[in-house]
Amino acid sequence: MELFSTAAIWVLTVILAVIPIWAWQMLNSFYLKPKRLERVLRGQGLQGDPYKLSVDNPKQLYMLKLQQEAKSKSIGLSDDVTPHIFSAAQQTVNKYGKNSFLWEGTTPKVIITDPEQIKEVFNKMQDFPKPKLNPLARFFSTGLIQYEGDKWTKHRKIISPAFHLEKLKDMLPAFSQSCHDMISKWKEMLSSDGTSEIDVWPFLQNLTCDVISRTAFGSSYAEGTKIFELLKRQAYLLMTSTHTNIPLWWLLPIANNRRMKEIDRDICDSVEAIIKKREEAMMNGEATVDNLLGILLESNHIENQGPGNSKTLGMTNKEVIEECKLFYLAGQETTSVLLVWTMVLLGRYPEWQERARQEVLQVFGNQNPNYDGLSRLKIVTMILYEVLRLYPPAVYFNRALRKDVKLGNLSLPAGIQVSLPILLIHQDHDIWGDDAKEFNPERFSEGIAKVTKGQVSYFPFGWGPRICIGQNFALLEAKIVLSLLLQNFSFELSPAYAHVPTTLLTLQPKHGAPIILHKL
């Protein structure tokens, strides 16, 4: 009994000692630290809402309700979309000006809109790394896009050859084939008078998935399609989960979590099997390198033959698998939203559609687009640039500070984030003029550098060392698809179209994109 009492006293003593430490950590994390960071920011002239400990603040809940209502309402194509899809930053800038900050939980996010400061954030990768991922994001956002430091440098070096223009030229037939398959389906849906109303959004998603399957896996195209179907199911499970606000919920053995882990294993097993077959073919001298996976494996093999023949030089099979998954996410999502917003805007502005069609017919006639001709499509390029300005795939970039950093005239403390609001900057009247929110491709008639006056104020694919490695892939695909569509159809927006841009993984049309097609 005495022994028990001694043990009990010891345990109680430990608990009593730990409770104040725990309480102090909670107080510091949820109140003292945020208030300290807020004082530092206000001391430099930055303005924003005061930090409040309560998550059930009535004003915050009311504002959240208004935001959700705004996001569900249809707006006009010429209306300002930023309040509907970028509410928090828009309201903060409207209330406090461009030198402002907002709160995401206990973390203050400084809004950066000055082009010189944006340039510095992009260039100083070590000072402005990406925020740490939510544990579930490993299913979708691992790979080059999230790596930092030496690992990023190594992966970028190995992957870069797959996106050289000379390699991309070899993939143009795959772009054309996938688009012709979609066009054939649309022609089958036409009525006797050569017209049909079609929601083009799911077709364009399938098209870009098909393109990535062909260009990423080549002869293993069917297996690639299966992998991407699994990824789509996994994304659906994540987005429809109702437990994301529960701490550590991803560790719970609930059905959704179990299914996501099973799908992840299936994806990894499938990609690993494709890699193994490709590596065996390479060893036997049978493999071709006309697809992204083949080029990636060849580049990785060369890296592994470096000094000392150390197998740690290149990527592991697991890392190759993650890069393959990233091919899908970046390639499929980015190009599909670029294409759907292009069709929506050209359906709304037929004069620009006709100008683009005449250019395509002048360059290609009714022949398949070729690389040399694509480089001469000035009007098509202007249109794509303007679509990316108004509807960039991502609406902001965030960076997390892990140490104190000087940014222009600001001294930013560790523990905050900086947010680069792409959408706000792309539609800033001070930068783009009075027609900043209007569709006017003519502004790009002399190129990006001319219209931006050399400033970093246009960055739909990012900027600097970390600029999207697949931007040329996306733009080439978009030019080919748009050229083929203009050769075969004229199109207009359906009266049923409801303009509700919404952000999921990318900026998408919430209710699809019903378009009336007319066969030419």
Side-chain angles (χ1 to χ4, degrees):
M1 181 66 71
E2 184 179 343
L3 181 63
F4 174 77
S5 298
T6 302
I9 291 171
W10 184 83
V11 170
L12 183 60
T13 302
V14 172
I15 291 174
L16 291 174
V18 168
I19 286 176
I21 297 173
W22 175 83
W24 169 256
Q25 289 177 337
M26 292 300 100
L27 178 63
N28 185 55
S29 297
F30 289 98
Y31 187 76
L32 297 178
K33 182 180 177 182
K35 293 302 287 185
R36 177 180 63 80
L37 293 174
E38 181 182 348
R39 285 195 300 273
V40 173
L41 297 180
R42 291 193 187 280
Q44 298 180 74
L46 295 167
Q47 300 296 318
D49 287 338
Y51 176 75
K52 292 184 179 178
L53 183 59
S54 173
V55 295
D56 294 324
N57 181 276
K59 181 182 177 182
Q60 290 179 342
L61 293 175
Y62 176 68
M63 292 304 296
L64 182 62
K65 180 182 177 183
L66 290 180
Q67 290 173 21
Q68 293 303 321
E69 289 176 355
K71 290 179 181 179
S72 65
K73 293 179 180 177
S74 176
I75 60 175
L77 265 172
S78 57
D79 290 347
D80 184 2
V81 301
T82 49
H84 298 262
I85 56 182
F86 206 52
S87 305
Q90 172 79 5
Q91 289 167 2
T92 299
V93 170
N94 285 347
K95 185 176 181 180
Y96 296 108
K98 293 180 180 179
N99 296 318
S100 55
F101 63 89
L102 52 86
W103 291 95
E104 187 171 282
T106 60
T107 303
K109 298 173 72 170
V110 176
I111 298 172
I112 303 296
T113 59
D114 177 75
E116 282 303 311
Q117 292 180 341
I118 293 169
K119 181 178 180 179
E120 197 170 341
V121 170
F122 278 129
N123 276 334
K124 293 185 176 179
M125 295 166 49
Q126 292 80 10
D127 291 341
F128 297 95
K130 294 196 173 186
K132 290 183 179 179
L133 286 175
N134 178 298
L136 281 174
R138 70 184 187 276
F139 292 134
F140 304 103
S141 300
T142 51
L144 183 68
I145 196 171
Q146 285 300 141
Y147 294 146
E148 302 285 351
D150 292 342
K151 192 169 187 178
W152 175 85
T153 302
K154 177 178 73 174
H155 280 239
R156 182 90 178 193
K157 176 184 176 184
I158 294 171
I159 295 169
S160 289
F163 291 95
H164 287 166
L165 281 176
E166 289 303 315
K167 297 292 185 181
L168 294 179
K169 287 180 185 179
D170 295 333
M171 299 177 190
L172 298 190
F175 295 168
S176 296
Q177 182 59 54
S178 295
C179 190
H180 279 300
D181 291 346
M182 183 185 74
I183 287 172
S184 296
K185 291 176 186 175
W186 285 1
K187 286 182 175 179
E188 291 172 1
M189 300 169 68
L190 296 175
S191 59
S192 57
D193 63 353
T195 66
S196 180
E197 180 175 318
I198 297 173
D199 181 2
V200 301
W201 175 225
F203 285 94
L204 293 172
Q205 288 176 294
N206 289 334
L207 162 68
T208 52
C209 178
D210 196 61
V211 166
I212 287 291
S213 298
R214 293 178 189 273
T215 56
F217 296 108
S219 60
S220 299
Y221 156 69
E223 293 101 312
T225 303
K226 172 192 168 186
I227 291 165
F228 301 146
E229 286 300 319
L230 289 170
L231 275 167
K232 281 198 285 188
R233 281 187 228 164
Q234 201 171 66
Y236 175 79
L237 288 172
L238 178 61
M239 288 187 290
T240 56
S241 175
T242 57
H243 304 87
T244 52
N245 291 325
I246 301 174
L248 302 179
W249 75 273
W250 60 88
L251 298 177
L252 300 176
I254 57 178
N256 257 23
N257 291 355
R258 288 199 306 271
R259 184 61 187 135
M260 288 182 71
K261 290 176 183 176
E262 290 169 6
I263 291 174
D264 190 54
R265 283 195 297 270
D266 289 344
I267 292 169
C268 290
D269 289 345
S270 297
V271 176
E272 194 163 16
I274 295 172
I275 291 171
K276 187 175 181 180
K277 282 198 297 185
R278 188 59 55 87
E279 286 178 334
E280 289 173 353
M282 286 172 63
M283 290 177 65
N284 296 328
E286 302 169 2
T288 58
V289 287
D290 59 350
N291 57 79
L292 293 171
L293 178 59
I295 299 166
L296 177 59
L297 290 175
E298 180 187 56
S299 180
N300 197 40
H301 177 73
I302 293 170
E303 187 72 11
N304 277 326
Q305 302 307 308
N309 194 28
S310 170
K311 288 297 180 182
T312 61
L313 290 173
M315 291 189 287
T316 65
N317 266 12
K318 186 176 187 303
E319 289 171 339
V320 172
I321 289 169
E322 295 304 328
E323 298 299 350
C324 288
K325 289 162 67 175
L326 189 58
F327 284 160
Y328 166 73
L329 288 171
Q332 193 270 341
E333 283 283 332
T334 300
T335 315
S336 61
V337 294
L338 171 55
L339 286 168
V340 74
W341 291 123
T342 301
M343 289 198 72
V344 166
L345 287 166
L346 291 185
R348 168 65 177 80
Y349 297 97
E351 65 279 11
W352 277 104
Q353 181 184 151
E354 187 55 31
R355 286 181 64 180
R357 179 177 295 105
Q358 291 306 315
E359 179 181 62
V360 168
L361 293 175
Q362 181 181 357
V363 174
F364 301 121
N366 288 312
Q367 302 300 309
N368 262 347
N370 56 67
Y371 180 79
D372 291 337
L374 292 173
S375 63
R376 301 201 304 272
L377 294 179
K378 180 179 177 181
I379 293 172
V380 167
T381 300
M382 288 159 49
I383 288 169
L384 293 175
Y385 285 166
E386 180 71 342
V387 173
L388 286 167
R389 186 184 71 85
L390 292 172
Y391 297 94
V395 296
Y396 60 84
F397 292 133
N398 285 336
R399 297 292 187 265
L401 272 65
R402 296 168 193 165
K403 61 180 182 180
D404 295 351
V405 171
K406 185 82 173 171
L407 179 63
N409 61 345
L410 298 174
S411 295
L412 303 176
I416 73 158
Q417 291 188 11
V418 297
S419 183
L420 312 181
I422 306 170
L423 199 62
L424 292 182
I425 295 162
H426 278 194
Q427 299 184 29
D428 188 333
H429 286 282
D430 293 338
I431 296 172
W432 299 92
D434 293 339
D435 66 345
K437 300 185 188 302
E438 299 172 16
F439 179 71
N440 178 20
E442 199 69 51
R443 73 177 83 245
F444 288 103
S445 61
E446 297 182 63
I448 294 171
K450 182 74 172 180
V451 71
T452 60
K453 302 179 178 66
Q455 295 182 318
V456 184
S457 53
Y458 179 78
F459 44 96
F461 294 102
W463 196 86
R466 292 199 76 132
I467 193 167
C468 176
I469 199 170
Q471 67 168 331
N472 288 331
F473 181 101
L475 288 171
L476 279 176
E477 181 183 352
K479 286 180 182 181
I480 284 184
V481 172
L482 184 56
S483 296
L484 289 170
L485 292 179
L486 291 169
Q487 286 174 337
N488 286 273
F489 304 102
S490 65
F491 47 90
E492 59 186 296
L493 270 182
S494 164
Y497 174 71
H499 190 51
V500 187
T502 188
T503 302
L504 295 174
L505 291 176
T506 49
L507 184 57
Q508 305 175 5
K510 184 173 184 178
H511 301 302
I515 299 282
I516 299 174
L517 299 176
H518 302 271
K519 184 180 178 182
L520 293 177

